[in-house]
Structures are given as structure tokens and as C-alpha cells.
Amino acid sequence: MNTLKQGDTIGIICPSCVADKNDYEKYKRGIEKLGFKAKLGKNIYKDTDRYTASVEERVNDLNEMVYDEAVKMIFFDGGCGSVDLIPYIDYKQIKKTPKLFLSFSDGTSILNAVYAQTGITTYYGQTPILLGHISEYDRKQFVSHLVEGNVTDYISNSDWHTITEGCCRGSLVGGYLLNFALALGNRFFPYQTDKKYILFIEELAQFRDIEHVSMLLTCIGQSRLMERVTGLLFGHYSKEPSPLLFEVLERFGKKYNIPVAYCDDFGHGLNHAIFPIGKEAFLDTKNKTLLFQ
């Protein structure tokens, strides 16, 4: 598998937002402190479409990183609008010269599309902003998945809550709830009908209330993908565990007869575990473990 080596170049793009120059210079220095070089996309500071650069500008930044042999990982933040890019990404080139892709939140759209179109594992859970002042847990997640590679055991940094008990196997897919639910009808995310999937999903209380979480989970449940889903791990929603959310997750687990667990290891909270999209995994919600296979 591809991994980063000291001195490798990490490309930073902004498919979902307009970068703040002061902030992104800090993120660049954070990457350099970890021993890597940083290359910033040419259009990350443009606001052509007011809230982002134009689709063409954003796609050009992404594809330029794909074509640049020196760039070993493409790293990007969240926001809104990454779905604009997915019809124009050069998937053939990515398949020919694989890169590491790491993002979070709105990056869900690109990460799942790249995996579905190329079969290459992509990584969900962190963004450049974290490297400005990275926690020890987040640093270990970054190093273990992207530098050392071949991670077998998911390392937790929070108390798990078993919602419905059980064990399951499948390929990991997921990310931010809204983006993932919207991706299920998208032709650039064709799931494989001969595979089983474990979902990892996260949401944040300040972005979406419980009613909307329930609605979006229902949309996932009514999709054809759900016929292939074997389990669900739900990530950080609020600082305090939400009994109402747990009720929603329990109904979901019982309706589809799948094991479900909740944790604060990933999502828009303090912990930013990394999930390899497309990696085979084994989830045991009773014993609160996740193994990568």
C-alpha cells in the first residue's frame, strides 16, 4: 500500500471553501513540522463563486495534484460544495498513479467517489486545520494510517456505547451524514452489489437536530445500499451523550437487524480517528472493537 515518507509532498486544496491565507500558512507549517513538504493549490484563496473558487478552478487544483508525481497525498478541508467536482476528477489518472486522499466532513463526497471509481482506499477523519496544533491522539492516527500503514486494530479514545449488540464484517464506507445520504443516488458512487459494507457515520448537533438525523438515516435505510449494510458505527454528535439520538440509532439497528455502536472517536469533536474507506473490517459492538483486515 502507499504510505508517506519523510520529505514527501502533501498537496493542499480547497474544494469546499475559500482558504484564509494566515490560517493556511499555519497549516503548511504544521505539515512541515511533521517532516513533509506542502504544496498549496493555486486557486485556494479565490472566491470566484463568492463562497468558493469556481468549479473549474477547484477541479484544476485537484487534478494538478493528481498529475504531479511529487505529490503523494491530497489533503483538504470541509465546508460546502465538494460534490461539484466529482464529475470532472481524472479517475483514470488516479487509478494509474494512486495517491493518498485525506479529508473530513464535506470531503465525504470526493473520498467516496474516488474509492468507488478507482477501488483505491481513501481516508476519512482529518483536515489540514488539525495540523496547526495537532493532539497526540490525532497525530498517532495520522502516522499509523498514512506513514506506517497496515493498521489492524482501531484505537479508541472515548467510551463506546453499545446500541444494538452483534458482530459484522464488510468494507468501510461513510463519512458525514448529509453528504453520504446525498451520494446514494449519485452515479459516481456505484456501490458493489457483491460486497457487504460497514457504515461509519457522523453528525454534529449544531449543524443538524435529531429530527434531521433520523430523516437522513431513513434515506440511507431506504436505499438499495442498505441491503448490503451489516453494521453501523456512529461518531461524535454532542459533548453529552444524547438519549434521543440513541433511541433513533436503536430503532435503526433493530429495523435493519444490524449491530450499532456510538463513540466520540471521530467526527466534529475533539478526537479525529481515521477510517480507511474501502478497507475490510470486523465490528463487534458488544465488545466495542473494530478490526481492519
Side-chain angles (χ1 to χ4, degrees), residues 82-127:
S82 69
V83 69
D84 296 339
L85 279 59
I86 62 176
Y88 312 108
I89 297 171
D90 193 337
Y91 299 107
K92 290 183 179 179
Q93 185 63 32
I94 294 172
K95 197 168 185 178
K96 183 179 177 181
T97 57
K99 312 273 185 180
L100 296 166
F101 283 79
L102 175 63
S103 188
F104 173 69
S105 196
D106 192 66
T108 296
S109 301
I110 291 176
L111 295 177
N112 283 280
V114 169
Y115 160 64
Q117 292 294 317
T118 68
I120 294 169
T121 299
T122 58
Y123 295 86
Y124 182 92
Q126 295 188 5
T127 60

Side-chain angles (χ1 to χ4, degrees), residues 6-112:
Q6 291 293 294
D8 279 349
T9 299
I10 295 175
I12 302 177
I13 60 173
C14 288
S16 310
C17 63
V18 178
D20 178 279
K21 190 169 184 177
N22 289 331
D23 287 342
Y24 273 68
E25 286 298 326
K26 292 178 185 177
Y27 308 157
K28 181 180 178 182
R29 290 194 294 271
I31 288 173
E32 291 167 348
K33 284 181 181 178
L34 289 176
F36 307 104
K37 298 175 184 175
K39 176 181 178 179
L40 301 180
K42 295 177 180 177
N43 299 301
I44 64 173
Y45 301 125
K46 292 185 179 179
D47 62 351
T48 309
D49 287 346
R50 301 295 181 91
Y51 53 89
T52 59
S54 69
V55 173
E56 182 179 9
E57 289 167 336
R58 286 178 282 151
V59 169
N60 285 345
D61 277 358
L62 192 158
N63 284 332
E64 181 179 335
M65 299 298 181
V66 169
Y67 303 146
D68 188 339
E69 294 182 2
V71 172
K72 303 304 180 184
M73 186 174 88
I74 302 174
F75 199 17
F76 47 103
D77 217 327
C80 190
S82 69
V83 69
D84 296 339
L85 279 59
I86 62 176
Y88 312 108
I89 297 171
D90 193 337
Y91 299 107
K92 290 183 179 179
Q93 185 63 32
I94 294 172
K95 197 168 185 178
K96 183 179 177 181
T97 57
K99 312 273 185 180
L100 296 166
F101 283 79
L102 175 63
S103 188
F104 173 69
S105 196
D106 192 66
T108 296
S109 301
I110 291 176
L111 295 177
N112 283 280

Side-chain angles (χ1 to χ4, degrees), residues 86 158 175 185 196 211 230 263 288:
I86 62 176
S158 72
K196 297 290 187 180
E211 298 96 307
T230 61
C263 70
K288 305 175 181 179

